[in-house]
Amino acid sequence: MGSFILRRVGVMLLTAICLTFIVFCLTNLYPNLEKLAKTQGNFRMSDEAVASWLDNNGYGGPMLVKYGEWLGVLPGWTRETEDGLDGRCIRAAAEGADPARFCGVIQGYWGYSTVFREEVGEIVAKRLGLTGILMFWVLVLMVPSALLIGVMAGMKEGSVLDRSLSTVSILTTATPEYVSGVIFIAVFTSSTVGLKWFKGTATSAMENPTFENFFLPVLTISLYGMGYIARMTRASMAEVMTAQYIRTARLKGVSFPNIVVKHALRNALIAPFTVIMLQVPWLLNGVVIVETLFNYKGFGWTLVQAAGNNDIELLLGVSVVSVFVVLLTQLISDVGYVYLNPRIRIS
Amino acid sequence: MDPLSTSQIALRILAQFLPVWIALVALFVVSIRYKRRLGLYGKLFDSTIGMIGFGLVMFWVFTGVFGAMDLIVTHDPLAQLSGMKNKKPGTPLPSPEEGEYAWYLLGGDNLARDVFSRMVKGAWIVVQIAPLATLFAFMVGITLGLPAGYYGGRLDTVLSFLANLILAFPVILLFYLLVTPEIVATGVPQYMAVVLFVFPLVFFGVLIHSRYRAQPQRNRTMLAVVLVPLFLAYMSLINTPGSKIDFWPLDVFDVPGGILVVFVSVVFVNAPTVFRIVRGLAMDIKTRDYVAAAQTRGEGPWYIMLWEILPNARGPLIVDFCLRIGYTTILLGTLGFFGLGLPPESPDWGSTINEGRKLLSIYLHPALPPAFALLSLVLGLNLLADGLREESLRD
């Protein structure tokens, strides 16, 4: 078990390095840098001016070196200017403190956002907290209801209950967030329909989440993932219900609710666990859409702002975090699956 | 003229779809009559779910095709008529010209364009891109997944690592990184197109060569017949005047830049999942007796992969193909929703939803028709996949 986890962590780190390098290359392509120089300097810069601006601000030089500096495994660039020494780590260091030799993501310096005029690390932490609240409620709503639907559909395969619940779960998987969100806003918040049960934006939920302003975004994200988990649970439940030991229990005279809860459920829930963990990356997608739709200024909203405004360092920070979230959930799902399933654990 | 009432609007919309109804009825009558002779496709008509799904999908396919022929649309989807801004469904035009349809059946959007016609035109964009992009993703996934599953070992490790690398990317981030104008200017998506679109050529080349290896004469003709047109199409596809790749003289057709980038990124996102499915199936099927028999006969590895393993993996692959078209439709909508790739005035559903949502608290009608259109198409594809799965499990 120990060596398995170690190997998985190793692969995960390798993947993370490859992915961040790809993101770094794509965000630091020359047209992006040129645009950055023009927005930071002025729009009528000549090509030479752009090149010298980039050189002066440490965007020149080979990609690998820049990546190393950003990661914090190579010493940050320094340059002599008229006002003394300038450099990546000198800008990063606090007022009056001695600049370090290395300053990168590993050392905790994530760069400076050109759009929000703030440290990237701070922005990411703040926005991630807001999205954390959203994700928490999504999981609270999605997982139990999906498992319930799946178990109820799977305990009697082919029954009317199974048919209708399966149709519902197909319907939810066919409704992407930007469709269900628009329909919910139209039905529950607009003055045309007139129900006005909820609020159409979740901006106020950032300080004070209430049922009224927070339920619709949570529901919108949950629905799309719910159907998929429910179908997986149903398949696994239906398989377990045909197993020999369930038949034995029935012949022995155990009541049906008892069979479902005490005998079938535990074995039926191993497969959905993996699915739930692997669903987290998809939730990340949903978060971006829903935060844009409901104007909830969390992590997904930040991603859109950073990408839309060519905020290179912020986009890099956001990418690193999201890639790590995805890889971490993959790791948890792998390890958890092995841990939960005695057939794999013992052999 | 008076505005139309709700029932009049419904009747007129049904009448507008007349060519679609005729085509659907004809298709269903013919298919049900000959269903015993049509294999898996015929069996689909034994399951209610499958039939409903197939009906929904074909409804949008016919709508797309007839819409492209200007049969269903009532107005030009890009034309802005003065006085029709944000007007309610069924509003008559202020001064209709001779031969012009006199109403906006589903109202006007915030630029005074006809919502109904835009929805119909949007179907054509999806019907064009989604199946083709899924097909390319399958070509890539199959060509790489079969050897990974069949040989295993180091090849499998490397390819699986690459697939997981792409899968660990949040899709929207990937879109933002690939589809922005700055990146398009560097030609990165075009180079990706060069790599991704070569896979169908490799696939068909190996498919034919492994089969007719022993008959050189026939092999050569077959290869020439299939590969030459494919190669010409490939070169025309990747060669766009005024971009980084612009050297091929025989440029037959041009794909608008935006569409190509969207196409590439959708294929790129889908291919690793297909790869994983095919790899899993190949690992399972290679232990069967008929594979061992083919190995004993002395067949080459590619013959075994493409002519023994692949046909026997078709059931799950067809089902996944339907699901994946639905997923691709959702991805296209996502791209449109974030205003990536396609031009802003394009009538595709995602962009229309995105435009309509900004005024959603006052005007519902511009955003809802494309939303329900997308929902019903994806639902149809999912039901179709469900029906196919049930029927293919039965035999």
Side-chain angles (χ1 to χ4, degrees):
Chain A
M1 191 78 186
S3 77
F4 169 76
I5 295 180
L6 266 182
R7 212 170 50 231
R8 292 289 321 175
V9 172
V11 172
M12 183 187 130
L13 286 178
L14 186 63
T15 316
I17 290 176
C18 290
L19 279 178
T20 47
F21 183 62
I22 294 170
V23 177
F24 190 87
C25 291
L26 284 175
T27 46
N28 279 283
L29 283 174
Y30 192 74
N32 282 336
L33 294 178
E34 191 182 349
K35 198 171 155 198
L36 179 78
K38 286 188 174 166
T39 44
Q40 293 299 303
N42 72 66
F43 279 99
R44 278 187 290 273
M45 265 176 166
S46 64
D47 286 353
E48 293 84 52
V50 168
S52 79
W53 187 91
L54 290 178
D55 264 346
N56 290 343
N57 287 283
Y59 289 107
M63 196 67 94
L64 258 175
V65 175
K66 283 193 285 178
Y67 178 68
E69 287 176 8
W70 174 80
L71 197 64
V73 292
L74 290 178
W77 56 272
T78 49
R79 192 172 57 86
E80 297 278 353
T81 59
E82 290 141 19
D83 318 328
L85 213 56
D86 188 14
R88 177 182 167 87
C89 299
I90 297 165
R91 294 183 188 184
E95 204 70 44
D98 263 341
R101 223 164 87 73
F102 297 93
C103 48
V105 172
I106 297 173
Q107 285 82 14
Y109 176 68
W110 291 54
Y112 188 78
S113 159
T114 52
V115 174
F116 294 97
R117 312 246 164 236
E118 235 180 301
E119 294 273 318
V120 169
E122 278 169 37
I123 302 175
V124 168
K126 194 169 78 190
R127 304 298 178 185
L128 210 54
L130 285 171
T131 297
I133 303 172
L134 184 65
M135 286 288 243
F136 172 75
W137 287 110
V138 166
L139 289 176
V140 164
L141 179 68
M142 180 176 79
V143 174
S145 38
L147 292 182
L148 193 69
I149 292 176
V151 167
M152 289 210 318
M155 64 191 185
K156 273 191 189 154
E157 213 183 342
S159 63
V160 180
L161 187 69
D162 175 25
R163 289 272 165 196
S164 40
L165 286 179
S166 297
T167 313
V168 170
S169 35
I170 290 184
L171 185 67
T172 65
T173 43
T175 322
E177 293 90 352
Y178 52 87
V179 169
S180 53
V182 161
I183 294 175
F184 285 145
I185 293 179
V187 174
F188 293 120
T189 70
S190 74
S191 45
T192 326
V193 176
L195 285 177
K196 289 208 162 189
W197 290 352
F198 301 105
K199 287 217 171 93
T201 78
T203 317
S204 55
M206 288 190 290
E207 275 98 44
N208 173 30
T210 61
F211 184 69
E212 198 193 14
N213 59 22
F214 212 43
F215 181 66
L216 278 189
V218 169
L219 182 69
T220 309
I221 303 180
S222 314
L223 269 185
Y224 186 50
M226 198 190 283
Y228 189 64
I229 300 180
R231 291 180 69 171
M232 287 295 152
T233 318
R234 178 190 167 274
S236 135
M237 185 75 189
E239 197 190 319
V240 170
M241 288 306 278
T242 58
Q244 293 291 329
Y245 72 94
I246 298 287
R247 204 179 60 169
T248 313
R250 296 205 78 166
L251 293 177
K252 211 166 68 172
V254 183
S255 72
F256 189 72
N258 252 339
I259 290 181
V260 170
V261 176
K262 286 197 180 146
H263 295 76
L265 207 53
R266 282 186 65 172
N267 283 317
L269 290 185
I270 296 174
F273 170 78
T274 335
V275 177
I276 292 171
M277 288 321 290
L278 291 180
Q279 202 69 13
V280 172
W282 295 114
L283 289 183
L284 214 63
N285 248 339
V287 161
V288 179
I289 294 172
V290 165
E291 285 183 358
T292 313
L293 191 60
F294 287 91
N295 205 14
Y296 182 79
K297 292 175 179 142
F299 188 68
W301 181 84
T302 315
L303 191 156
V304 173
Q305 294 301 318
N309 294 313
N310 195 35
D311 192 340
I312 293 176
E313 309 234 290
L314 183 59
L315 187 58
L316 272 171
V318 170
S319 317
V320 171
V321 173
S322 50
V323 162
F324 259 95
V325 169
V326 172
L327 292 177
L328 211 61
T329 53
Q330 280 179 355
L331 182 72
I332 296 174
S333 102
D334 279 4
V335 175
Y337 186 72
V338 173
Y339 181 74
L340 283 177
N341 197 339
R343 269 173 290 193
I344 297 180
R345 188 179 30 175
I346 287 161
S347 71
Chain B
M1 254 180 299
D2 294 328
L4 300 171
S5 68
T6 314
S7 53
Q8 275 174 317
I9 295 175
L11 276 178
R12 280 183 179 273
I13 289 178
L14 289 180
Q16 242 4 80
F17 277 118
L18 189 68
V20 177
W21 304 130
I22 295 172
L24 268 184
V25 169
L27 180 71
F28 268 74
V29 166
V30 171
S31 304
I32 291 177
R33 173 156 248 184
Y34 299 106
K35 70 177 173 186
R36 295 283 158 253
R37 291 193 226 154
L38 291 171
L40 182 64
Y41 169 73
K43 286 213 192 91
L44 192 63
F45 292 87
D46 290 334
S47 103
T48 328
I49 296 257
M51 271 207 297
I52 297 174
F54 185 67
L56 277 172
V57 173
M58 289 320 286
F59 173 81
W60 285 113
V61 171
F62 286 136
T63 305
V65 172
F66 291 137
M69 296 196 269
D70 281 339
L71 274 180
I72 301 170
V73 289
T74 52
H75 294 88
D76 179 1
L78 298 180
Q80 310 179 356
L81 297 185
S82 63
M84 295 305 285
K85 189 177 167 187
N86 290 327
K87 282 288 185 289
K88 290 234 153 27
T91 310
L93 300 187
S95 52
E97 283 163 33
E98 194 67 34
E100 200 177 16
Y101 201 80
W103 292 275
Y104 267 10
L105 282 175
L106 289 174
D109 64 5
N110 64 339
L111 288 174
R113 297 169 299 195
D114 183 30
V115 172
F116 177 76
S117 306
R118 286 179 71 76
M119 181 189 76
V120 172
K121 283 284 183 189
W124 178 231
I125 296 182
V126 172
V127 168
Q128 271 178 303
I129 300 182
L132 207 59
T134 315
L135 197 67
F136 273 98
F138 263 75
M139 295 278 175
V140 179
I142 289 173
T143 319
L144 293 177
L146 283 176
Y150 184 75
Y151 290 118
R154 194 149 307 158
L155 178 75
D156 181 28
T157 316
V158 172
L159 286 176
S160 295
F161 179 75
L162 288 178
N164 288 337
L165 209 63
I166 302 171
L167 285 175
F169 254 114
V171 178
I172 292 184
L173 180 64
L174 200 66
F175 283 160
Y176 262 113
L177 290 178
L178 284 182
V179 188
T180 49
E182 286 81 35
I183 307 249
V184 175
T186 58
V188 171
Q190 249 186 330
Y191 297 130
M192 286 171 65
V194 170
V195 177
L196 286 176
F197 294 157
V198 88
F199 278 97
L201 280 128
V202 175
F203 178 80
F204 283 111
V206 176
L207 187 77
I208 294 166
H209 182 72
S210 63
R211 176 102 205 197
Y212 298 108
R213 207 164 31 125
Q215 303 154 269
Q217 188 62 45
R218 197 149 169 220
N219 191 9
R220 248 172 273 140
T221 11
M222 290 285 279
L223 279 176
V225 166
V226 174
L227 286 188
V228 169
L230 271 181
F231 180 75
L232 288 177
Y234 169 74
M235 288 314 289
S236 303
L237 192 63
I238 58 167
N239 188 65
T240 313
S243 68
K244 294 267 171 188
I245 301 169
D246 183 10
F247 63 93
W248 185 250
L250 276 172
D251 204 349
V252 191
F253 57 87
D254 266 323
V255 182
I259 302 266
L260 187 71
V261 177
V262 167
F263 203 85
V264 169
S265 46
V266 171
V267 173
F268 189 67
V269 168
N270 271 321
T273 328
V274 180
F275 164 83
R276 293 232 293 212
I277 295 170
V278 175
R279 170 179 167 269
L281 286 169
M283 281 167 90
D284 176 30
I285 294 176
K286 77 171 176 191
T287 57
R288 303 283 166 86
D289 287 342
Y290 51 78
V291 173
Q295 282 164 340
T296 325
R297 277 205 312 271
E299 304 283 8
W302 279 102
Y303 178 85
I304 296 176
M305 280 183 241
L306 289 169
W307 292 95
E308 301 280 349
I309 294 180
L310 190 60
N312 286 295
R314 68 181 184 280
L317 286 184
I318 292 173
V319 171
D320 187 69
F321 187 71
C322 289
L323 286 177
R324 204 146 290 285
I325 296 178
Y327 180 59
T328 310
T329 311
I330 293 180
L331 284 184
L332 287 176
T334 313
L335 279 169
F337 183 77
F338 285 106
L340 293 170
L342 297 160
E345 78 278 358
S346 130
D348 73 292
W349 293 337
S351 313
T352 329
I353 294 174
N354 183 34
E355 254 168 57
R357 78 181 168 90
K358 289 165 189 158
L359 291 170
L360 204 56
S361 55
I362 323 163
Y363 303 111
L364 299 183
H365 59 270
L368 286 184
F372 280 112
L374 196 141
L375 169 60
S376 60
L377 175 60
V378 180
L379 180 66
L381 284 163
N382 282 9
L383 292 176
L384 179 64
D386 228 44
L388 282 173
R389 183 184 297 135
E390 242 169 58
E391 294 304 320
S392 69
L393 281 181
R394 208 168 277 175
D395 52 36

